Amino acid sequence: MKKLNKEDINPAVFELYNDYAHNRLSKEEFTEKLSTYAVDGWTVASLVTFLMPDYKDAIQIKPDDPRIVTEYISYPSPKGGGTIKALLCMPAGNQKKLPGILVVHENRGLNPHIEDVARRAALAGFISLAPDALSPLGGYPGNDDDGRALHNQRKPDEMLEDFIAGFECLKKQEYCNGKIGVVGFCFGGWISNMLAARVPDLLAAVPFYGAQAPLAEVPHIKAALQLHYAESDASINSGWAAYEKALKDNGKDYTVYHYPGTHHGFHNDTTPRYSKADAELAWKRTIAFFTEKLGK
């Protein structure tokens, strides 16, 4: 059996994985539908293994990278989960106040990939905070399947409160100058849109393939928005046209990028949905946007 490559995979497989990752398919339904694509000697098991994240070999900035300083902290979230654990990162040797970036995970908790993104933000010259909304249930359990199951046990509005409290925590950090943006992915993209509407002092929000805020919330948005969408992501993209109209009608500061040929999750370099060129371009745009809106 030859080695699986992304180019060999029918795009429908990635859509099935997307439905499974967002609880639109059970594991049994996912594997049953996946069997249609188990051809050329590939098994369902080999396809599942190929689709799952690789946190061992795909991390870009290691936890012990000497260029940054990291620590786990906890902060109160009285309207949300009570006490939330988070990863705090900043450039090594920093002695000045920096802008802050709140980094919001997908629907599986603070996994190694999102911790990596938080470290990347610090390496770019910001102080970053990546909360774990699974903290009230023991935190990220070590694998994404169990992480999704825990995530489903929490109420979205309570988790939103956890990230609003995270904004306040980051703002109070010794080396944060109070100018804060948020970047989030999938579920975190929705949180980013919601924070833009709910937190008046937030200066910039970068949702990656996240559900849009309710249209009634748009008039309250004060933060500048930079939005990133995959081409093949029907459930998320279906809400964009109405959201864009509301942003325009209300005179909001926004920029949107659509990435041809990409799937939901294209920025996540631990899964085969990853599109290297598009992810690097999107991150370059993100850092430039934060630098423009928050300063350095």
Side-chain angles (χ1 to χ4, degrees):
M1 183 175 67
K2 68 176 182 178
K3 180 180 177 181
L4 276 170
N5 293 299
K6 180 179 179 179
E7 294 71 26
D8 299 324
I9 301 296
N10 188 310
V13 169
F14 296 111
E15 295 307 307
L16 286 177
Y17 178 77
N18 191 30
D19 285 341
Y20 167 62
H22 294 87
N23 305 301
R24 294 187 287 269
L25 288 176
S26 68
K27 191 168 188 176
E28 292 73 21
E29 291 169 328
F30 172 54
T31 54
E32 179 182 348
K33 290 179 179 292
L34 203 58
S35 65
T36 302
Y37 303 96
V39 297
D40 296 332
W42 300 332
T43 65
V44 170
S46 64
L47 284 171
V48 169
T49 299
F50 179 71
L51 291 168
M52 293 300 111
D54 175 12
Y55 293 135
K56 180 181 178 181
D57 298 319
I59 299 301
Q60 294 185 26
I61 311 299
K62 304 299 182 185
D64 60 353
D65 192 300
R67 295 172 294 176
I68 56 173
V69 176
T70 68
E71 66 172 316
Y72 291 102
I73 65 170
S74 294
Y75 64 86
S77 177
K79 295 181 181 179
T83 300
I84 303 300
K85 178 183 177 181
L87 179 66
L88 181 68
C89 309
M90 71 168 66
N94 177 68
Q95 295 296 320
K96 65 178 184 178
K97 290 186 177 293
L98 301 172
I101 297 178
L102 192 68
V103 180
V104 188
H105 58 68
E106 305 140 314
N107 65 336
R108 59 214 68 172
L110 184 59
N111 62 25
H113 167 64
I114 298 299
E115 291 193 347
D116 187 19
V117 173
R119 293 190 293 268
R120 295 177 206 173
L123 197 59
F126 299 89
I127 179 170
S128 68
L129 185 72
D132 187 355
L134 300 187
S135 298
L137 302 174
Y140 175 71
N143 69 84
D144 283 12
D145 280 350
D146 290 340
R148 277 192 295 271
L150 290 177
H151 184 275
N152 290 339
Q153 295 178 29
R154 296 213 58 206
K155 296 178 180 179
D157 287 345
E158 288 186 359
M159 289 188 281
L160 174 58
E161 292 294 341
D162 295 334
F163 289 100
I164 293 174
F167 169 88
E168 296 298 336
C169 173
L170 179 54
K171 192 174 181 179
K172 294 174 183 176
Q173 293 300 310
E174 178 182 1
Y175 290 106
C176 182
N177 66 11
K179 297 179 179 180
I180 296 174
V182 59
V183 60
F185 307 85
C186 184
F187 163 76
W190 174 73
I191 291 287
S192 299
N193 277 311
M194 292 302 295
L195 288 184
R198 297 284 181 90
V199 181
D201 293 337
L202 184 74
L203 296 181
V206 183
F208 274 74
Y209 31 81
Q212 299 79 20
L215 300 185
E217 301 264 7
V218 171
H220 306 299
I221 292 175
K222 290 185 170 57
L225 292 170
Q226 184 186 84
L227 308 104
H228 302 271
Y229 290 103
E231 179 181 38
S232 182
D233 195 4
S235 64
I236 296 298
N237 294 346
S238 63
W240 169 243
Y243 196 52
E244 181 173 38
K245 183 178 185 304
L247 292 171
K248 286 182 177 178
D249 289 349
N250 286 276
K252 301 305 175 182
D253 179 359
Y254 80 94
T255 305
V256 61
Y257 297 103
H258 300 273
Y259 296 83
T262 60
H263 296 272
H264 183 97
F266 72 84
H267 185 266
N268 187 332
D269 53 357
T270 69
T271 82
R273 296 177 298 172
Y274 174 57
S275 176
K276 187 175 188 295
D278 295 296
E280 290 178 351
L281 175 59
W283 186 247
K284 181 179 179 180
R285 286 168 167 168
T286 297
I287 294 302
F289 179 70
F290 283 139
T291 300
E292 175 191 352
K293 301 300 181 181
L294 308 179
K296 290 292 283 288

